[in-house]
Amino acid sequence: MLSKRHPTLYRVAVKYHQTRRQMHWLRDRSLARTQSTDLLPVRLFKHQSPLLRKLGTVDMRLQQNKIVNLKLAAACINGTFIRPGETLSLWKLIGKPTAKRGFTEGLLIAQGKPTSGIGGGLCQMANLLHWMFLHSPLIITERHHHSIDLFPDSGRTLPFGTGATIFYNYVDLQVKNPTKHTLQLHVWVDDEFLKGEILSDSNTPFRYSIIEREHAFERDKNNQFWRKNKIYRETRSTQTGQVLGEELIMNNRARVAYEPTIG
């Protein structure tokens, strides 16, 4: 792309997209904004992910810095209500991650390569929230993912291809609440984990499971490895446990940036 060959054009393009998103936020009155330390009574789903993972040769200092960023982001998100008809924008809640606000240099993925930057590591928050959203009645209206599998599995707790990438502010993670229930996010960081829950004001009629199938590595004629799988979501009745349906929600295929262990 022309903008990749000319950094100035790239910066102009980024600023253009960021400004467009800001203008959209100003017009959209349905965005979730209200937070409370009073938590709703019904837990729909919970999940946690380890704060520190070995990612290839990435400096562990960036992993330590990431914890600072996750704590700041969690404070911006925790307790947010998503009322019926409202849309939650992750970046609208977090805001711009700057050094002035206390954000530090963490791991970033830019143009398919690991690098570092202020606010790096917040993709872990997006990954956690996206996984929780998949187990809830919320409709995911915006989600982006990496087209390259950069690191071998090391402490991975979720199936390949179920994460979400974000970049301030126009590469976002957004969900809409189509139900009659008020939902709430509860997220926090302890000594070992990033943790989260989706809460509700009352019981909902369905619960959800995520199933991975057909996971494999493939080598093409150019000796390049690719990783693929299919992700399904199963819906069950909360009351009876009966399976009500299953749908294919992701058909993943990504270039692999490492030598996979096969067999």
Side-chain angles (χ1 to χ4, degrees):
M1 293 176 60
L2 184 62
S3 60
K4 290 183 179 180
R5 297 197 300 268
H6 299 278
T8 299
L9 292 180
Y10 174 75
R11 289 192 293 270
V12 170
V14 168
K15 185 63 177 178
Y16 168 76
H17 289 298
Q18 289 175 335
T19 301
R20 284 193 64 186
R21 183 55 60 98
Q22 289 282 359
M23 295 302 294
H24 174 74
W25 284 344
L26 289 173
R27 295 191 301 268
D28 191 348
R29 309 312 303 169
S30 70
L31 292 175
R33 294 177 171 86
T34 306
Q35 288 177 272
S36 175
T37 56
D38 296 326
L39 300 179
L40 295 178
V42 178
R43 178 197 290 153
L44 301 184
F45 188 74
K46 66 176 181 178
H47 185 64
Q48 65 182 24
S49 62
L51 292 171
L52 299 177
R53 288 178 55 207
K54 181 63 177 175
L55 299 174
T57 60
V58 172
D59 187 351
M60 288 302 293
R61 176 184 61 88
L62 298 179
Q63 293 270 332
Q64 295 288 348
N65 288 353
K66 172 190 68 176
I67 298 174
V68 175
N69 296 335
L70 289 173
K71 288 180 177 179
L72 290 170
C76 298
I77 299 165
N78 186 44
T80 298
F81 293 114
I82 315 173
R83 296 190 170 94
E86 286 190 335
T87 293
L88 179 141
S89 161
L90 183 55
W91 276 128
K92 178 61 176 175
L93 294 178
I94 296 175
K96 189 172 184 178
T98 63
K100 185 176 181 179
R101 295 180 61 204
F103 287 90
T104 60
E105 185 180 24
L107 176 66
L108 293 174
I109 307 300
Q111 299 181 15
K113 296 180 181 180
T115 182
S116 62
I118 298 299
L122 292 181
C123 280
Q124 182 170 349
M125 179 67 76
N127 290 341
L128 177 102
L129 292 177
H130 182 247
W131 184 248
M132 295 199 304
F133 295 156
L134 290 175
H135 291 82
S136 80
L138 294 165
I139 296 175
I140 298 167
T141 57
E142 182 178 346
R143 174 245 178 181
H144 307 265
H145 62 95
H146 294 298
S147 59
I148 299 176
D149 187 23
L150 283 172
F151 305 110
D153 292 351
S154 175
R156 185 195 292 269
T157 59
L158 306 183
F160 159 71
T162 55
T165 184
I166 54 175
F167 180 82
Y168 185 82
N169 59 358
Y170 61 95
V171 181
D172 200 2
L173 176 63
Q174 295 192 14
V175 288
K176 184 175 182 178
N177 183 359
T179 76
K180 64 181 181 180
H181 302 276
T182 294
L183 306 183
Q184 186 183 31
L185 295 182
H186 181 207
V187 292
W188 70 100
V189 176
D190 67 13
D191 292 339
E192 297 183 61
F193 296 97
L194 170 64
K195 296 186 174 185
E197 300 175 325
I198 294 185
L199 307 174
S200 176
D201 57 2
S202 59
N203 289 313
T204 56
F206 309 115
R207 58 186 174 92
Y208 308 91
S209 299
I210 303 302
I211 303 165
E212 178 187 39
R213 297 195 179 109
E214 301 180 36
H215 177 269
F217 289 96
E218 296 180 335
R219 191 198 304 260
D220 65 20
K221 62 182 181 180
N222 298 315
N223 209 34
Q224 171 65 57
F225 279 101
W226 297 79
R227 190 174 189 177
K228 66 175 188 176
N229 68 359
K230 293 182 178 179
I231 304 296
Y232 295 81
R233 188 166 89 148
E234 180 184 82
T235 302
R236 290 179 178 266
S237 166
T238 302
Q239 186 173 8
T240 66
Q242 179 184 2
V243 176
L244 303 175
E246 181 181 283
E247 60 177 328
L248 175 66
I249 58 173
M250 299 173 199
N251 189 358
N252 297 308
R253 187 173 187 266
R255 183 168 61 84
V256 176
Y258 55 88
E259 188 76 17
T261 301
I262 301 176

